[in-house]
Amino acid sequence: MTSMFDQFEQASIRSKNNNLSADMNTLDYINMTLEEDIPIFSKTKKDFTPAYKITHAVIENRHLVAALGNGSIFRMDLQSPAIRDEISLSKFTGTCRLTNLFLDPTGNHLLITLVPTSKEGGPELLYLSQKSNKLKATTKFRGHEFTEVAWNNLNTSDSTTGPILLGTSRGLIFETEIVLDGEKFFTSGFSSIEQYWRQVFDIGKGSNTPITGLEYFEIPGANRIIIFAATATRLYYFSGKGEQDDKPTLQAIFNRYLNIPEPETYIEVDSNLRYSKLKFYSDNLTTPNFLTWMTGKGVMYGKLQCTSTETLSTIKANSKWISFPKPLYEDYSVSQKFPIAIAVTEFHVLLAYTDTVKGVCLLNEEVVYEDNYNEAFCKLINILKDSRTGDIWVISETAVFQFKVTREERNVWQIFANNQQFELAKKYSRGNEVCYNQVLIKEADMLFDKKEYELSAQIYAEAESSFEEICLKFIQAEQHDALKTFLRRKLDNLKPQDQTQITMIVIWVVELYLNKMEEKRLAGLEQTIAYSDIQKEFETFLALNEVSKCVKNNKSTIYELMASHGDKANLMKLTIVNKDFEQLIRQHIYKNSFFEALEVLKSQNNYELYYQFTPILIREVPKHMVKALIENSRKLSAVRLLPALVSCEGEHHSKEVIKYLEYAIDKQKNTNKSLHNLLLSLYAKYDTSKLLDYLDAQGNELSLINFDVHFALRLCQEKNLTKACVHLSSLLGLWESAVDIALEINLDLAREIANKPPEEDIELRKKLWLKIAQFVVGGKNDIQKAMEFLKRCDLIRIEDILPFFSDFVTIEHFKEAICTSLNEYNQHIQDLKEEMEEATKSAETVREDIQTFRNRCTYINSCDVCDICSVMILIRPFYIFPCQHKFHSDCLREELEPLLGPGKKNKLSELDKRLISLTRVDNVSMSSTGMSNIDICRADIDNIVASECLYCGENMIRNIDKPFLDDIEYERIKREWE
């Protein structure tokens, strides 16, 4: 791509009559294909060959009426050529000759003009209806040679012509209306058919000035009538309101011009022709769009407005003259040839010569068509346009040709564009994307050259042109406002999938707005209306749907852009609109508005932002930040907030952190070790009064304590917190160290610590008490305190503390204590002797029971049966227990195995395999005990299977809750019962 936006694929072949069709595809290219080269004008010869030469012809509403050389009138329906007839004029042509035919737009009413061939008689005007083949003479118009007829274009009746105007060879204009009486019309003879008749104007003023063109139009809805009359050198214009109720209808219009100087009623030209041709073009059959008036000077082409303000002057101002085309090889020996008739289309005029038809463009006077007729068709006599259908017909003396007009507007857009008539150029190029685009570019270039930059930017945005080139033009001209307009309009024309282009344009437009506002701020114009207008425009731009989406997708870029221009206000507004709370909080912090930042943080639901901004806010507004953390504690993780809490320094901040940690630990029951360690360290630094309460609340069970005891001990040692060190040392089992530290504080505390070790660890407890005793007795020789100490502790005797006294202390001081101690020893010895005697007696009893059990026997009868299978016990190996339960060995194993644990089951299986292998290999090998290996193996099996009675042993007790039926058996029995 040579451009970021829409590019053109150039056509390789162009011709004057070619048309380019375009369609836009998803890649924004314009694909152009050449249409078939069809000329604007083409002719077709109709299958019609008259028996005689045609002298005059008219066509309206697809009805052809021709005057033939044999003096007859030929009529044919062009839609149904078989419908034709021929009417003889022999009754009149004996003394007269036919000069003209006039057919109304409906094709129902025909007027025929006759002039005498001798001085005898006068001109005649005949009438012929489409419904009849009988001619009617108009009695009131005898003596006048009629050269033109202005028909009523709104009339649709086939029995009346409505008000019509007739122009004569002497410049007189008559108004009349021909009405048919159905019964009277078909009677023989000639009777008057004019309902009324009146001369309404005289152009000739007594001179023989033939009227060569006459038309009138009634403008629908405006109650206004305009009339055009032409002579060889003059074009007259009349307008006004007609008389709706009175006859003649048009008389009042002409009366207005009786008192006006005659030169103000016409346009006059120099012409050496004795005739002129007046034709009109209308796209709605009623109101003309423009007129063409052919004279010897050329063809006058004038646009009509058909309004009440239109005058002859405005018509003249809106007109131009088109020269007749020169022949390709001009013969100066032959006089110039002039057209004999003309036909008008929307953009062309067809000039009919006796042997040629030429098509000239009304807009640029270029000849676009030329067709020569050979002698086989004889000379041309007329070119006609059907006012109802718009069909064009060329009539020669021996043939009829129909002209087809094919898209005559195909190239007019270029003409309008070259003439800077861009609205018309766009109108006629709108169906062709390439042509329409060229018009837009030309219009935009023209406006740019005129320095109308804003308008040119709007047009450039609609065109498919080089994006970079247009932007560069505005940049070089330093027209940043126009560039902004262009970019905004271009943005509107982009498709949703053009995300890259949208992003680029949005960022560029934002940059232009920011530059403009920055210039105003630097100039001190921030409070002016101009700045306010730019701000509103910028906000409107940001509110656009596609812009809003783009900004959200490129927030960081837009924010950085605004920050680079120092536009904090817009940056703040944008973050609020986009609900970009992160950026909004950053902006508040950037402005040191910490309370506002905290309020924004509390108002949104993205709790991740708490972890992001708590480190800053807790340092700046600790009390309010901690309050916010506590209020949202259910949705926040205290552990993730730990880095922010650790970063706080100073007593004020730390006390607020302590509040949050106490809430998290006491209310939320948070057991995270890091949180507890932090709280403990803060207690140690700033609030030692709460430290011991906290340690006591944690308990003395090391596994249930939530802080790191070693860390706490080290911290307390650094801070010289001796009471806490005593507690922590005792938790770690450092009893000796705990007692040593406690002795420095309080003797009672040391005694309390000495009593904490387990009671079974007598040596440790004794050792601790000895430390205390040494502290109490050592160096003081206070016999009284020593005695009191011995009374409080049962583990220490007088002999234990004697080493702590000096050598000068006599035994008399300890006489009582020593006697008490000896008595206790004596009593203890007596207790030991009694215990030894009882143990000796118990051993003798056990020996006697063992001997008795060895000599005990049990009798088995032949009729005894197994308690499991109820089969005679003696037929298979069996077991008998002291409780008299008897079991076959296999029955017992079958019942016992499900009750055994996995270990015994595996052991029993291994013994079975071993027994089988020993039986096969060696039956007599002996072990060190004097028993064979087989006997040892069997003894091991018996120890497992027969260690206790199946019904009386511990297995039965352990399985007392086992159901009698397992699930599978239960379901089977249940189904059987059903």
Side-chain angles (χ1 to χ4, degrees):
M1 293 178 65
T2 60
S3 173
M4 186 169 295
F5 288 102
D6 314 315
Q7 304 295 319
F8 295 103
E9 179 186 315
Q10 301 298 332
S12 60
I13 301 175
R14 297 179 184 271
S15 64
K16 182 165 72 172
N17 292 325
N18 284 343
N19 185 42
L20 300 176
S21 65
D23 63 318
M24 298 296 293
N25 63 11
T26 56
L27 296 176
D28 291 343
Y29 282 86
I30 297 180
N31 295 326
M32 302 185 296
T33 57
L34 293 176
E35 288 189 350
E36 184 181 355
D37 187 8
I38 301 175
I40 295 176
F41 298 102
S42 59
K43 70 177 183 179
T44 304
K45 183 179 180 299
K46 291 300 179 182
D47 187 13
F48 167 65
T49 303
Y52 300 92
K53 288 185 178 181
I54 299 174
T55 60
H56 299 80
V58 288
I59 296 176
E60 289 291 352
N61 201 18
R62 296 189 176 91
H63 289 88
L64 167 66
V65 180
L68 302 182
N70 65 343
S72 63
I73 299 296
F74 176 82
R75 297 189 299 187
M76 181 175 69
D77 189 341
L78 294 173
Q79 281 187 306
S80 304
I83 302 176
R84 61 180 69 182
D85 62 355
E86 190 171 337
I87 302 170
S88 176
L89 293 175
S90 59
K91 183 177 179 178
F92 304 96
T93 56
T95 57
C96 297
R97 62 180 177 84
L98 186 147
T99 58
N100 223 328
L101 299 176
F102 304 101
L103 185 63
D104 83 310
T106 65
N108 292 320
H109 310 286
L110 176 68
L111 291 177
I112 306 169
T113 59
L114 301 171
V115 296
T117 56
S118 64
K119 294 183 180 180
E120 297 180 0
E124 293 278 353
L125 180 64
L126 304 180
Y127 172 81
L128 180 62
S129 172
Q130 179 66 30
K131 299 187 297 182
S132 173
N133 55 6
K134 293 185 178 181
L135 295 169
K136 290 290 287 185
T138 57
T139 58
K140 297 181 180 179
F141 292 112
R142 286 175 180 166
H144 296 282
E145 179 185 353
F146 293 98
T147 55
E148 277 296 330
V149 176
W151 297 100
N152 187 339
N153 288 329
L154 300 180
N155 179 57
T156 58
S157 173
D158 58 357
S159 60
T160 179
T161 60
I164 61 174
L165 296 176
L166 294 88
T168 71
S169 59
R170 290 183 294 173
L172 301 177
I173 299 177
F174 291 90
E175 180 184 344
T176 187
E177 181 177 358
I178 298 175
V179 180
L180 303 179
D181 183 5
E183 296 295 330
K184 185 177 179 181
F185 176 76
F186 291 103
T187 60
S188 61
F190 299 96
S191 58
S192 178
I193 56 176
E194 303 93 338
Q195 185 180 19
Y196 68 93
W197 69 279
R198 178 74 59 85
Q199 178 183 331
V200 292
F201 203 74
D202 182 3
I203 289 177
K205 304 296 183 182
S207 65
N208 293 328
T209 305
I211 294 177
T212 58
L214 187 61
E215 291 282 350
Y216 89 89
F217 301 94
E218 183 176 349
I219 309 302
N223 191 21
R224 185 169 179 270
I225 295 174
I226 58 176
I227 302 171
F228 291 91
T231 65
T233 58
R234 294 179 179 178
L235 175 64
Y236 289 83
Y237 172 72
F238 310 93
S239 69
K241 296 182 180 180
E243 298 292 339
Q244 299 296 328
D245 300 327
D246 298 335
K247 303 294 184 179
T249 302
L250 307 175
Q251 178 70 61
I253 299 173
F254 289 99
N255 290 341
R256 292 180 60 244
Y257 291 87
L258 295 177
N259 299 323
I260 297 176
E262 188 178 10
E264 297 181 10
T265 63
Y266 62 78
I267 298 172
E268 187 172 16
V269 297
D270 294 330
S271 175
N272 55 3
L273 289 179
R274 293 186 299 172
Y275 64 90
S276 67
K277 297 294 180 180
L278 180 63
K279 298 295 178 181
F280 294 83
Y281 174 80
S282 174
D283 56 8
N284 57 12
L285 303 179
T286 56
T287 305
N289 298 90
F290 61 84
L291 64 84
T292 53
W293 180 38
M294 188 207 78
T295 66
K297 180 181 178 180
V299 178
M300 189 183 91
Y301 168 57
K303 295 182 180 180
L304 301 176
Q305 299 174 352
C306 298
T307 62
S308 58
T309 58
E310 188 174 49
T311 63
L312 189 64
S313 299
T314 59
I315 294 175
K316 188 175 182 180
N318 293 328
S319 301
K320 69 175 182 177
W321 285 93
I322 300 174
S323 301
F324 295 124
K326 295 180 180 180
L328 185 61
Y329 302 102
E330 189 170 0
D331 188 353
Y332 294 99
S333 64
V334 179
S335 61
Q336 183 181 0
K337 295 172 61 177
F338 294 95
I340 59 173
I342 64 173
V344 178
T345 64
E346 186 176 4
F347 300 107
H348 298 85
V349 58
L350 291 172
L351 306 175
Y353 297 84
T354 56
D355 58 353
T356 308
V357 173
K358 295 182 180 181
V360 179
C361 180
L362 293 169
L363 303 178
N364 62 358
E365 304 182 25
E366 182 181 350
V367 178
V368 299
Y369 175 76
E370 185 170 354
D371 185 26
N372 297 313
Y373 291 80
N374 56 35
E375 296 178 355
F377 303 119
C378 297
K379 67 176 182 179
L380 301 182
I381 62 170
N382 207 347
I383 183 168
L384 303 169
K385 181 178 179 181
D386 191 330
S387 61
R388 284 290 186 266
T389 63
D391 296 334
I392 298 176
W393 304 83
V394 173
I395 312 296
S396 74
E397 291 180 335
T398 59
V400 176
F401 300 90
Q402 182 178 11
F403 268 67
K404 181 180 180 182
V405 182
T406 305
R407 295 184 62 250
E408 64 170 330
E409 75 283 357
R410 66 183 68 173
N411 295 318
V412 298
W413 65 269
Q414 193 168 9
I415 299 171
F416 286 128
N418 293 334
N419 295 333
Q420 295 188 354
Q421 296 174 285
F422 295 110
E423 292 303 319
L424 290 173
K426 286 187 280 189
K427 175 183 176 182
Y428 291 103
S429 63
R430 193 161 273 116
N432 188 312
E433 290 291 341
V434 175
C435 300
Y436 185 76
N437 191 70
Q438 292 181 17
V439 173
L440 292 175
I441 293 175
K442 283 190 175 182
E443 182 180 10
D445 289 340
M446 182 269 293
L447 292 171
F448 188 90
D449 294 337
K450 290 182 177 180
K451 297 185 178 181
E452 298 180 17
Y453 298 110
E454 287 289 334
L455 291 177
S456 68
Q458 296 176 14
I459 304 300
Y460 274 131
E462 297 180 25
E464 304 295 337
S465 183
S466 172
F467 176 81
E468 297 87 343
E469 180 182 349
I470 296 171
C471 292
L472 187 60
K473 288 179 68 174
F474 287 116
I475 293 173
Q476 290 175 342
E478 296 184 354
Q479 296 297 319
H480 299 294
D481 290 339
L483 175 60
K484 179 174 61 183
T485 300
F486 169 72
L487 294 173
R488 289 196 59 173
R489 290 296 183 93
K490 200 68 178 177
L491 181 65
D492 295 337
N493 297 332
L494 290 177
K495 299 176 182 178
Q497 57 265 32
D498 300 328
Q499 289 300 317
T500 303
Q501 294 90 332
I502 291 174
T503 302
M504 184 197 70
I505 291 179
V506 168
I507 294 176
W508 197 349
V509 173
V510 170
E511 172 76 13
L512 292 174
Y513 275 116
L514 294 174
N515 278 333
K516 189 70 174 179
M517 289 188 287
E518 186 178 17
E519 290 175 3
K520 296 287 184 183
R521 289 196 302 273
L522 294 176
L525 303 176
E526 191 170 358
Q527 303 301 323
T528 61
I529 297 176
Y531 185 87
S532 178
D533 292 340
I534 298 174
Q535 177 65 38
K536 291 178 181 178
E537 186 180 344
F538 183 43
E539 291 175 357
T540 302
F541 173 73
L542 292 178
L544 297 176
N545 186 37
E546 63 274 15
V547 176
S548 177
K549 291 180 180 177
C550 181
V551 169
K552 289 180 180 178
N553 294 332
N554 301 273
K555 290 187 294 187
S556 59
T557 302
I558 300 296
Y559 293 157
E560 289 174 4
L561 197 59
M562 289 184 173
S564 67
H565 286 274
D567 197 344
K568 298 179 183 178
N570 278 313
L571 182 57
M572 194 75 69
K573 291 178 182 178
L574 184 61
T575 54
I576 294 173
V577 170
N578 292 332
K579 295 183 179 181
D580 189 357
F581 298 106
E582 178 181 355
Q583 188 64 29
L584 183 58
I585 295 170
R586 289 185 184 278
Q587 293 307 311
H588 281 305
I589 293 174
Y590 179 72
K591 296 191 303 181
N592 294 329
S593 300
F594 301 108
F595 286 102
E596 289 81 352
L598 179 58
E599 290 301 319
V600 174
L601 181 62
K602 291 163 61 177
S603 65
Q604 53 85 42
N605 296 321
N606 183 8
Y607 293 95
E608 290 295 322
L609 297 182
Y610 278 86
Y611 308 119
Q612 186 174 352
F613 293 105
T614 296
I616 300 174
L617 296 178
I618 201 170
R619 289 199 301 268
E620 302 298 335
V621 284
K623 183 176 181 180
H624 297 84
M625 187 67 233
V626 167
K627 182 179 179 182
L629 293 177
I630 292 175
E631 290 174 353
N632 296 277
S633 58
R634 292 185 178 181
K635 298 178 180 178
L636 295 174
S637 171
V639 176
R640 294 184 62 186
L641 291 170
L642 192 59
L645 303 176
V646 172
S647 65
C648 291
E649 296 180 357
E651 184 176 358
H652 177 65
H653 292 79
S654 298
K655 286 186 177 181
E656 297 300 329
V657 173
I658 288 173
K659 288 181 182 179
Y660 175 72
L661 292 174
E662 288 177 344
Y663 180 86
I665 292 172
D666 298 337
K667 301 297 183 180
Q668 294 185 295
K669 307 300 180 183
N670 197 310
T671 60
N672 184 268
K673 182 172 291 188
S674 299
L675 292 176
H676 284 265
N677 287 341
L678 177 59
L679 178 60
L680 189 145
S681 64
L682 294 176
Y683 278 152
K685 290 181 181 179
Y686 303 106
D687 198 349
T688 56
S689 61
K690 292 184 178 181
L691 178 59
L692 293 177
D693 295 336
Y694 169 76
L695 295 176
D696 292 337
Q698 288 292 305
N700 296 321
E701 184 62 39
L702 191 61
S703 61
L704 300 179
I705 290 176
N706 297 312
F707 60 87
D708 187 337
V709 182
H710 295 88
F711 163 76
L713 179 59
R714 184 169 59 254
L715 181 65
C716 291
Q717 287 174 345
E718 292 175 358
K719 300 295 181 180
N720 294 321
L721 302 175
T722 53
K723 288 186 178 181
C725 290
V726 171
H727 182 83
L728 295 172
S729 297
S730 63
L731 287 177
L732 292 173
L734 304 175
W735 302 107
E736 295 183 27
S737 177
V739 170
D740 290 339
I741 299 172
L743 288 173
E744 297 176 4
I745 303 171
N746 189 301
L747 184 60
D748 293 334
L749 178 60
R751 293 193 186 104
E752 182 181 346
I753 298 300
N755 285 325
K756 286 185 177 181
E759 294 183 358
E760 58 273 14
D761 194 351
I762 297 175
E763 291 297 327
L764 175 60
R765 290 165 62 88
K766 186 176 180 180
K767 187 175 182 180
L768 298 178
W769 277 105
L770 286 174
K771 278 183 173 290
I772 299 173
Q774 185 177 6
F775 177 81
V776 172
V777 178
K780 296 181 180 180
N781 295 325
D782 190 342
I783 305 301
Q784 188 64 31
K785 287 186 177 181
M787 295 302 101
E788 292 177 0
F789 181 77
L790 290 175
K791 292 178 181 179
R792 292 185 179 184
C793 180
D794 298 335
L795 298 178
I796 299 178
R797 299 291 181 265
I798 187 61
E799 61 271 22
D800 296 324
I801 65 173
L802 286 177
F804 303 145
F805 289 96
S806 65
D807 296 336
F808 301 100
V809 178
T810 62
I811 197 171
E812 294 179 358
H813 297 90
F814 305 102
K815 182 178 180 180
E816 183 180 354
I818 293 173
C819 291
T820 302
S821 178
L822 292 175
N823 289 332
E824 290 177 358
Y825 282 127
N826 184 49
Q827 183 63 40
H828 181 62
I829 292 171
Q830 294 298 324
D831 293 339
L832 290 178
K833 287 180 178 180
E834 292 177 359
E835 289 177 3
M836 290 175 62
E837 290 177 359
E838 290 178 359
T840 302
K841 292 179 181 179
S842 298
E844 291 295 331
T845 304
V846 169
R847 291 190 188 96
E848 292 176 359
D849 290 340
I850 291 173
Q851 189 62 36
T852 303
F853 187 75
R854 286 177 178 174
N855 296 327
R856 185 179 176 183
C857 63
T858 300
Y859 297 94
I860 298 176
N861 297 321
S862 59
C863 58
D864 289 340
V865 296
C866 176
D867 290 326
I868 295 176
C869 63
S870 300
V871 178
M872 187 178 296
I873 193 68
L874 296 176
I875 63 174
R876 295 200 304 272
F878 63 90
Y879 294 101
I880 185 170
F881 294 90
C883 59
Q884 299 304 308
H885 285 118
K886 298 173 283 294
F887 309 99
H888 289 131
S889 59
D890 53 349
C891 293
L892 180 60
R893 284 196 60 172
E894 184 178 356
E895 290 292 327
L896 184 63
E897 281 187 4
L899 304 177
L900 296 176
K904 289 187 177 182
K905 284 184 179 179
N906 294 334
K907 180 66 174 175
L908 187 60
S909 177
E910 292 175 0
L911 291 173
D912 287 339
K913 293 178 182 178
R914 183 181 176 191
L915 180 61
I916 293 171
S917 62
L918 290 174
T919 304
R920 293 176 179 175
V921 178
D922 185 8
N923 291 329
V924 296
S925 59
M926 304 295 288
S927 68
S928 60
T929 59
M931 298 176 60
S932 66
N933 291 330
I934 294 177
D935 292 339
I936 293 173
C937 185
R938 286 175 178 170
D940 291 337
I941 293 174
D942 289 342
N943 288 335
I944 296 174
V945 175
S947 61
E948 58 183 1
C949 176
L950 178 64
Y951 294 155
C952 302
E954 293 181 1
N955 273 330
M956 180 59 69
I957 298 173
R958 284 193 298 269
N959 294 282
I960 193 171
D961 58 345
K962 182 178 179 183
F964 294 107
L965 300 176
D966 57 22
D967 294 340
I968 298 175
E969 189 175 6
Y970 174 79
E971 292 296 332
R972 180 180 60 78
I973 296 174
K974 182 179 178 182
R975 286 195 298 270
E976 291 177 355
W977 286 1
E978 290 177 352

